[in-house]
Amino acid sequence: MKNRHPFYILLLLVISFYSYGQERPDHTLNKTVHQHADIQAAKNGISFLAIGDFGRHGAFTQKEVARDMGTIAEILDLNFTISVGDNFYPTGVQSTQDYQWFSSFENIYTHHLLHEPWFVALGNHDYEGSVQAQIDYSKISRRWEMPDRYFERFIEIDKGKFLQLLVIDTNPFVKKYKTNPEKYLGINDQDTNEQLQWIETKLANNDPKIVWKIVVGHHPLYSGGKRKNEQETKDTELIFEPILEKYQVDAYICGHEHDLQIIKKSNKKVMQFLSGAGSELRETGKIEGSIFAEAVPGFMAFTLTNNILKAYVIQSNEKDFKVIYQTEIKK
């Protein structure tokens, strides 16, 4: 037995080394995943996350939020992520080689499921840099998708039924930006009538294969936060709410306010999900139609089947996340 002892030690070392090499990089998520039965993947459906106002080189709570996005992505077997804009603070990016692509995006959102597509909207801070660089980065990155300032995607849910996803650019509709073209670069070159016509044409598509319509933009229709009474919020509601209602859009996903809100006005079909708590936070509050409002670090997660949309509000804590609210829309 004494002669065999070194052999067994060597064998154990080999097994240990091999096991370590085969361990998943995200193996530490397993315990967390199994402890949260209050959020589950949809059977015969898809899932996605919504985050906004986040690009701060990992500062404030950006890293904690990114960590929990990875965990939720694992739970839901994520299909894609939506960014509602203000992707880079304080003044966007300058080029496709800007180091912020690494310090605020690539090196922050590292979970393998966060390398599924990101459908990205533009925020006002993105207009303070090169919007074209963010568009061009779509040709470099396999996950960053911004083919233009506004665009459409059809995503199959199950058995030939689709989500129609429109990502729009709300920035040119904000009057105060257009009076400051030195700050908001190229803002006056944008044809708002052309975009509105495009939005109406797309949403008028009544193909029976489309079972859900979701629009993504940066500015909220309504808010109980800092910009509750500002003209930009009133104008966004005045311009876009009638269009979303006319074409029976199910959800509008936005940011701009640095908090988490869900609002559904009485007698309106569209439900607004505001997910702007990806990094820095601001105080928030409620208005008529507010279902939920909290200024905590986090994001929103969604599951979608042919007949039900479930939305989860995720709060990121120091070491773990918490589902602090959930709601649903049924067909």
Side-chain angles (χ1 to χ4, degrees):
M1 291 296 293
K2 291 182 179 180
N3 292 334
R4 291 184 179 182
H5 188 63
F7 172 77
Y8 285 123
I9 292 176
L10 178 62
L11 181 61
L12 288 172
L13 286 171
V14 170
I15 291 173
S16 176
F17 178 80
Y18 182 79
S19 298
Y20 176 79
Q22 296 301 306
E23 194 169 42
R24 291 176 53 179
D26 54 4
H27 66 93
T28 55
L29 296 175
N30 293 342
K31 183 178 179 181
T32 302
V33 167
H34 292 307
Q35 285 177 342
H36 290 276
D38 47 353
I39 179 169
Q40 298 179 353
K43 294 181 179 179
N44 304 317
I46 60 174
S47 66
F48 60 95
L49 308 180
I51 184 177
D53 305 83
F54 59 84
R56 294 183 182 271
H57 315 281
F60 298 95
T61 57
Q62 188 184 6
K63 289 183 179 179
E64 289 80 4
V65 171
R67 174 202 67 202
D68 295 336
M69 288 173 65
T71 306
I72 296 296
E74 176 123 345
I75 294 172
L76 298 183
D77 191 18
L78 190 72
N79 294 95
F80 60 92
T81 296
I82 288 171
S83 167
V84 299
D86 278 1
N87 308 308
F88 300 97
Y89 285 92
T91 54
V93 292
Q94 301 306 307
S95 70
T96 57
Q97 284 76 47
D98 194 312
Y99 186 69
Q100 290 183 91
W101 288 108
F102 297 96
S103 63
S104 288
F105 182 65
E106 299 290 0
N107 292 344
I108 303 293
Y109 305 99
T110 57
H111 188 281
H112 69 97
L113 285 172
L114 297 182
H115 285 262
E116 294 298 323
W118 284 56
F119 302 123
V120 186
L122 290 163
N124 51 293
H125 283 274
D126 301 310
Y127 261 90
E128 294 185 49
S130 172
V131 168
Q132 190 60 48
Q134 293 202 37
I135 294 171
D136 291 343
Y137 198 71
S138 302
K139 302 172 184 177
I140 296 173
S141 171
R142 295 185 67 177
R143 57 172 164 169
W144 185 272
E145 293 202 20
M146 186 194 290
D148 211 329
R149 293 172 192 253
Y150 49 92
F151 58 95
E152 176 187 40
R153 288 288 183 270
F154 287 99
I155 301 162
E156 186 170 16
I157 302 168
D158 184 48
K159 297 179 180 178
K161 299 297 184 181
F162 288 84
L163 159 66
Q164 182 188 28
L165 181 71
L166 261 62
V167 178
I168 66 174
D169 181 7
T170 57
N171 296 282
F173 296 89
V174 178
K175 294 176 184 177
K176 68 179 182 181
Y177 299 165
K178 303 194 84 170
T179 62
N180 194 357
E182 293 80 14
K183 181 177 182 179
Y184 301 102
L185 305 178
I187 196 78
N188 286 332
D189 297 332
Q190 307 312 307
D191 188 332
T192 53
N193 289 327
E194 182 178 301
Q195 184 179 172
L196 287 175
Q197 184 177 12
W198 178 88
I199 293 170
E200 292 223 38
T201 298
K202 294 300 182 182
L203 291 178
N205 186 342
N206 58 4
D207 188 328
K209 293 179 180 178
I210 300 172
V211 292
W212 293 95
K213 293 177 182 284
I214 294 178
V215 175
V216 176
H218 183 61
H219 294 83
L221 305 173
Y222 341 98
S223 174
K226 174 184 176 181
R227 297 179 172 90
K228 174 173 61 175
N229 297 316
E230 290 194 13
Q231 192 61 44
E232 64 189 70
T233 305
K234 296 176 182 178
D235 288 345
T236 302
E237 177 182 1
L238 182 66
I239 294 167
F240 291 106
E241 185 194 64
I243 298 174
L244 302 185
E245 287 297 306
K246 177 180 178 180
Y247 296 104
Q248 296 290 283
V249 170
D250 299 288
Y252 178 63
I253 304 177
C254 60
H256 197 43
E257 298 281 42
H258 295 183
D259 55 44
L260 299 163
Q261 299 182 54
I262 302 175
I263 300 174
K264 188 177 188 299
K265 293 283 190 175
S266 58
N267 302 319
K268 301 296 181 183
K269 176 178 174 59
V270 66
M271 185 177 288
Q272 176 185 278
F273 298 92
L274 193 159
S275 183
S279 182
E280 183 193 39
L281 300 174
R282 285 195 295 260
E283 290 185 9
T284 191
K286 292 187 175 182
I287 58 171
E288 186 277 314
S290 291
I291 298 171
F292 176 87
E294 289 286 347
V296 295
F299 57 98
M300 293 189 185
F302 300 84
T303 61
L304 193 63
T305 66
N306 287 346
N307 51 28
I308 187 167
L309 178 151
K310 291 186 177 181
Y312 302 87
V313 182
I314 313 298
Q315 177 179 344
S316 294
N317 300 314
E318 183 180 357
K319 296 182 179 179
D320 197 1
F321 73 88
K322 182 180 180 182
V323 179
I324 56 174
Y325 189 80
Q326 57 183 286
T327 189
E328 61 185 34
I329 302 173
K330 291 183 178 180
K331 284 292 185 182

